[in-house]
Amino acid sequence: MQSYTIGQAARLLGVSPDTARRWADAGRITTHRDEGGRRLVDGRDLAAFSVELARSGGTDDDTAYTSVRNAFAGIVTAIKLGDVAAQVEIQAGPHRLVSLLTREAVEELGLEVGMEATARVKSTNVHIDKT
């Protein structure tokens, strides 16, 4: 059976390695150590945990966890939906941010004009978090 390091597990779960370590320390993820002392997660355990995490909505509270920096909390001011793509505009203080994403992502997030959202900018990509 394949095992994953905490860093690999974190990447697959979409969280930071620190979050994955905290979950392991709290017993949410079962780990074992290899000969070198590295903490590993069994592939089957990780698969089951990822399904549980998705069903529960992620974390134990409503706090969103992401490794992306440069968060701009604001309000959705416009949404333009195409057949496949979408454009979302957020006004965050003096900053107007525009993100191109899939229509499915906008619908999944339940984004609407007037709702609070956070744009997370990393390099040339803008990520949208429902807040």
Side-chain angles (χ1 to χ4, degrees):
M1 171 52 53
Q2 181 166 356
S3 293
Y4 297 90
T5 65
I6 289 290
Q8 291 169 323
R11 183 178 48 77
L12 292 170
L13 294 171
V15 298
S16 72
D18 287 338
T19 297
R21 276 191 280 282
R22 282 193 297 275
W23 287 345
D25 291 344
R28 289 187 67 188
I29 302 174
T30 304
T31 62
H32 62 278
R33 301 246 179 212
D34 68 4
E35 300 80 27
R38 293 183 312 165
R39 202 167 4 179
L40 301 175
V41 181
D42 178 77
R44 288 185 194 272
D45 291 340
L46 183 60
F49 181 75
S50 68
V51 170
E52 173 191 325
L53 191 64
R55 284 189 183 140
S56 70
T59 60
D60 291 335
D61 56 21
D62 290 334
T63 304
Y65 290 96
T66 180
S67 64
V68 180
R69 306 292 191 276
N70 302 323
F72 294 86
I75 188 166
V76 177
T77 58
I79 298 175
K80 296 176 186 168
L81 294 175
D83 292 337
V84 177
Q87 178 179 310
V88 176
E89 295 181 26
I90 293 177
Q91 191 68 40
H95 309 288
R96 177 178 167 262
L97 297 113
V98 179
S99 179
L100 301 176
L101 56 165
T102 65
R103 178 187 183 114
E104 180 182 13
V106 170
E107 291 170 347
E108 222 174 76
L109 288 169
L111 293 176
E112 296 177 1
V113 171
M115 77 182 314
E116 186 179 348
T118 302
R120 296 188 185 274
V121 179
K122 184 174 182 182
S123 186
T124 59
N125 299 315
V126 176
H127 303 256
I128 303 293
D129 295 335
K130 180 179 175 183
T131 49

